[in-house]
Amino acid sequence: MNPAVNDSALSTTGRFGRLSYFGWNGLLLIAVMILVLLCILLLPGFSPAAGQSMSFFTLLIFGMIYIGMLYFTFVFTIRRLHDRNHSGWLSLVMLVPIANIIMMLYLSLAKGDVHENQFGQPRPTHTWEKLLGWIYILIFPIGFFLAIAIPAYQDYVQRAQQQQIEMQQQAE
């Protein structure tokens, strides 16, 4: 029997190539975004007003989503490490600040073993994983840039408006 047939992507056994890794992380990101959006729309108190705290139930739901996301992130990281013929225990480096960025770059850029290693044969990357992987590769940096650029631009506009108000007050 071919082991690739029973290869569950949600199991820590087996390997992930780079595009499979990105594809499944992209799918996880989409799933988390949908879950959070549903929580915001359907659960009262999930997006409380200013000065108001979230209810215990809302925090519990958010915690469950976060734990699920963390679990699958580790599963995908372990499978990617297996593709490089490393132990899954190395995934714990993801918990160390700064080292996690280096680990992410390593997993993103390092080519996997092309032949069988101690974790099995290379796993074929499905077409949808390739497509979602490339979308993730393109959109994630843009989103990261926007997360920095938009607040910086808003701060710039706010300071420019404040300066304009001060100039008008001095002219009067």
Side-chain angles (χ1 to χ4, degrees), residues 4-172:
V5 173
N6 293 328
D7 182 30
S8 170
L10 304 179
S11 165
T12 57
T13 58
R15 299 168 56 175
F16 262 174
R18 286 179 283 191
L19 280 177
S20 292
Y21 176 68
F22 287 132
W24 281 94
N25 274 304
L27 185 63
L28 176 64
L29 180 65
I30 291 169
V32 168
M33 287 173 32
I34 289 171
L35 281 173
V36 169
L37 183 63
L38 286 173
C39 288
I40 289 171
L41 295 174
L42 300 176
L43 293 177
F46 197 80
S47 53
Q52 188 182 22
S53 62
M54 290 186 186
S55 70
F56 175 75
F57 177 72
T58 303
L59 288 174
L60 185 66
I61 296 291
F62 182 71
M64 289 170 40
I65 292 171
Y66 181 75
I67 289 170
M69 183 183 76
L70 196 60
Y71 170 77
F72 287 115
T73 298
F74 271 100
V75 167
F76 304 154
T77 300
I78 289 168
R79 289 182 66 105
R80 182 70 186 113
L81 284 165
H82 287 176
D83 195 48
R84 296 280 309 138
N85 206 22
H86 297 301
S87 169
W89 287 104
L90 193 56
S91 66
L92 294 176
V93 171
M94 297 297 282
L95 298 173
V96 180
I98 309 289
N100 58 5
I101 295 170
I102 295 167
M103 173 67 89
M104 185 188 76
L105 287 172
Y106 172 70
L107 295 175
S108 300
L109 300 174
K111 188 171 172 53
D113 290 345
V114 293
H115 301 292
E116 183 175 5
N117 65 22
Q118 67 180 339
F119 300 101
Q121 292 285 339
R123 180 182 177 275
T125 303
H126 302 290
T127 305
W128 72 266
E129 291 174 335
K130 290 178 185 177
L131 179 65
L132 199 53
W134 277 110
I135 290 170
Y136 183 77
I137 289 169
L138 296 173
I139 289 180
F140 188 75
I142 292 169
F144 187 74
F145 171 75
L146 290 177
I148 294 170
I150 290 174
Y153 177 73
Q154 287 174 336
D155 181 53
Y156 165 77
V157 169
Q158 201 171 35
R159 285 186 289 129
Q161 288 173 343
Q162 183 64 34
Q163 195 172 30
Q164 191 174 28
I165 291 170
E166 289 173 8
M167 288 174 60
Q168 286 176 350
Q169 288 176 347
Q170 287 177 357
E172 293 176 355

